[in-house]
Amino acid sequence: GFLEDGILVQDISRMRRRYLCSWAFLWDVASVLPTELLCLLPGVPGVLGVPVARANRCLRAPRLFEAFDRCETHTGRPNAFRVAKLMMYLVLGIHWHGCLYFALSARLGLGTDPWVCPAFARPLRQYLHSFYFSTLVLAMVGDTPEPQHEEEFLFTMAGFLLAVLGFATITGSISAVIANLSAADAAFYPDAGPVRRYLRARGAGGRLVGRVLRQLVLRLRPQVFGPGEFVCRRGDVGREMYFVREGRLAVVAEDGITQLAVLGEGLYFGEISLINIKGNTAGNRRTANILSIGYSDLFCLGKEDLAEVLAEFPRARAAMEAKGRELLLGMGRLDTGAEAAAVAAEAEAERQLQGLEVALEGLQTQAARLLAQLEASALRMALRIQRLEGRLHLRQQRDKAAGTAGA
């Protein structure tokens, strides 16, 4: 998908149309053209020219780097992924260097001196020898035959210089991976400090703070914003609120430059668009532009998670609505008439609900009386039937005794 006005678009037709109208589509088409078929033309080198003819495949390198960045962002083991990517680059560099070494050896003549690749009969043996030679050069082992020609000297010196640069890069990358192993938990583990300060600002007690923290901390999601990056824009649909863990953010005007306020560590924003405030003319839209001044670490709390937590803490919801009302009133985005109408409608609904509850209680009382009367009638009917059966049984016995005496 892609973002449009802050909303994630995942419609297939729109995604297809956007891709076909982008430069990426042209680059992708150019990268998969079968240019190696040009080697079939007369006057063009045959098999030896195929690698050069397939050079357009390198146009997909930006796609590869983009895929690596996304995998590293979404994987649960980013350090292991970085090490695997570094090893792939290392093997690929040795492979390319070995190919250049074999091409130079073929130009100078295979097996003409100890430095070039020997004229083995099997291509696999030639490739393994070239790969082994490049490994010795790029690893700076130095146990290689002495060059005999100027081209060989230049190639060997270029290989050693590349090896110095490559070892510096590899050492720096591995050092960064080792440093990130210990810093990852501290950088991305949800810190309860901003949430605690937020609850204290709302006047929540110690026991309430503990209960809310247990509900909220596990729902927080870390997000990082770079310098000059908008966290939210005015008019966007609000789906989450933010707590500032580290960094500084600015509330900017429509021009994106004028700073109206600065938010620092421990502060929060974005809650107005998540709660239902009566008379809010903005609805669930953002009311301000928030811009990251430098690198900012934020904790994000989704609308659904906030609603689930506030459903258990009505006092916290009332406090948030009161604070949001003050902010909207200060920004001129609170329609007092609509608020009064909403309050009156809510009061009327509450009154009607109470009336329904009273009527329901009356109906329940009448139903209970009717049920009691029905049970009493059933009991009387059962007793009457029992008495009639007794009389009938007694009369039958008398008739039977009279018949026996007459006989």
Side-chain angles (χ1 to χ4, degrees):
F2 63 95
L3 293 177
E4 185 178 61
D5 296 331
I7 300 177
L8 181 63
V9 177
Q10 292 182 318
D11 182 67
I12 300 298
S13 60
R14 297 180 62 183
M15 291 167 58
R16 183 188 301 112
R17 185 167 56 252
R18 182 174 183 268
Y19 171 64
L20 293 178
C21 296
S22 65
W23 285 100
F25 173 70
L26 300 178
W27 282 94
D28 292 342
V29 170
S31 65
V32 298
L33 292 177
T35 51
E36 59 270 17
L37 297 179
L38 296 175
C39 297
L40 300 178
L41 298 176
V44 179
V47 177
L48 296 180
V50 170
V52 179
R54 291 171 57 89
N56 62 319
R57 301 298 191 273
C58 297
L59 295 177
R60 293 190 63 84
R63 287 291 191 185
L64 178 65
F65 297 146
E66 181 183 1
F68 281 166
D69 292 339
R70 293 192 179 188
C71 290
E72 185 175 342
T73 302
H74 292 84
T75 183
R77 299 180 179 273
N79 294 315
F81 181 81
R82 294 191 192 104
V83 173
K85 182 174 66 175
L86 185 63
M87 294 300 298
M88 189 201 71
Y89 287 156
L90 182 62
V91 174
L92 185 61
I94 296 175
H95 165 76
W96 283 349
H97 188 271
C99 292
L100 294 176
Y101 165 74
F102 181 78
L104 181 60
S105 299
R107 181 178 180 276
L108 297 177
L110 297 177
T112 55
D113 60 58
W115 188 87
V116 299
C117 179
F120 294 113
R122 298 175 58 192
L124 177 61
R125 188 66 180 273
Q126 293 176 346
Y127 174 76
L128 292 178
H129 178 84
S130 302
F131 195 90
Y132 173 72
F133 180 88
S134 298
T135 303
L136 294 179
V137 173
L138 296 181
M140 300 184 68
V141 175
D143 190 15
T144 57
E146 183 178 354
Q148 304 295 326
H149 300 86
E150 296 178 356
E151 296 87 345
E152 298 173 356
F153 278 105
L154 292 176
F155 187 84
T156 303
M157 289 187 295
F160 283 141
L161 293 177
L162 288 176
V164 173
L165 178 61
F167 266 103
T169 304
I170 293 173
T171 303
S173 300
I174 294 179
S175 300
V177 170
I178 295 176
N180 290 335
L181 286 174
S182 58
D185 292 338
F188 293 101
Y189 188 76
D191 183 12
V195 184
R196 186 179 292 108
R197 286 189 289 270
Y198 169 80
L199 293 173
R200 289 175 179 173
R202 290 290 185 265
R207 295 182 60 184
L208 179 59
V209 169
R211 291 176 59 194
V212 176
L213 282 176
R214 284 192 294 271
Q215 296 288 335
L216 289 181
V217 169
L218 295 179
R219 304 171 188 260
L220 296 177
R221 301 189 306 273
Q223 290 188 359
V224 180
F225 293 89
E229 186 177 359
F230 278 92
V231 179
C232 60
R233 293 179 180 270
R234 183 176 179 179
D236 292 347
V237 177
R239 293 186 175 90
E240 58 275 318
M241 67 175 298
Y242 298 92
F243 299 92
V244 184
R245 181 179 180 271
E246 289 182 352
R248 296 169 65 246
L249 302 100
V251 182
V252 297
E254 294 299 329
D255 57 3
I257 300 176
T258 306
Q259 295 186 5
L260 305 179
V262 177
L263 305 176
E265 179 182 350
L267 298 181
Y268 52 89
F269 60 92
E271 76 278 8
I272 296 180
S273 59
L274 303 186
I275 55 180
N276 185 18
I277 300 178
K278 303 175 184 63
N280 183 8
T281 58
N284 62 345
R285 301 282 179 173
R286 299 294 189 187
T287 59
N289 300 314
I290 308 296
L291 178 70
S292 178
I293 298 177
Y295 285 98
S296 303
D297 291 344
L298 307 179
F299 286 128
C300 172
L301 182 64
K303 182 177 182 179
E304 293 78 8
D305 296 331
L306 180 64
E308 291 178 3
V309 174
L310 292 183
E312 302 180 8
F313 304 98
R315 292 184 180 179
R317 172 180 288 277
M320 289 186 65
E321 291 179 354
K323 183 65 176 179
R325 184 182 183 280
E326 294 179 4
L327 294 175
L328 291 174
L329 191 61
M331 292 185 295
R333 288 183 168 271
L334 186 65
D335 187 353
T336 55
E339 182 186 17
V343 172
E346 186 177 355
E348 178 65 19
E350 184 67 23
R351 186 185 64 79
Q352 294 179 359
L353 181 60
Q354 291 179 357
L356 291 176
E357 290 178 352
V358 173
L360 180 60
E361 290 179 358
L363 291 176
Q364 290 178 347
T365 303
Q366 293 179 5
R369 291 176 180 176
L370 291 175
L371 182 61
Q373 293 176 3
L374 181 61
E375 291 178 353
S377 300
L379 180 60
R380 289 195 298 270
M381 184 65 69
L383 292 176
R384 185 177 178 182
I385 292 174
Q386 185 177 3
R387 288 196 299 270
L388 291 175
E389 289 179 349
R391 292 176 183 178
L392 179 60
H393 181 66
L394 181 59
R395 181 176 295 179
Q396 289 177 351
Q397 287 182 349
R398 287 177 181 176
D399 293 344
K400 184 178 180 180
T404 302

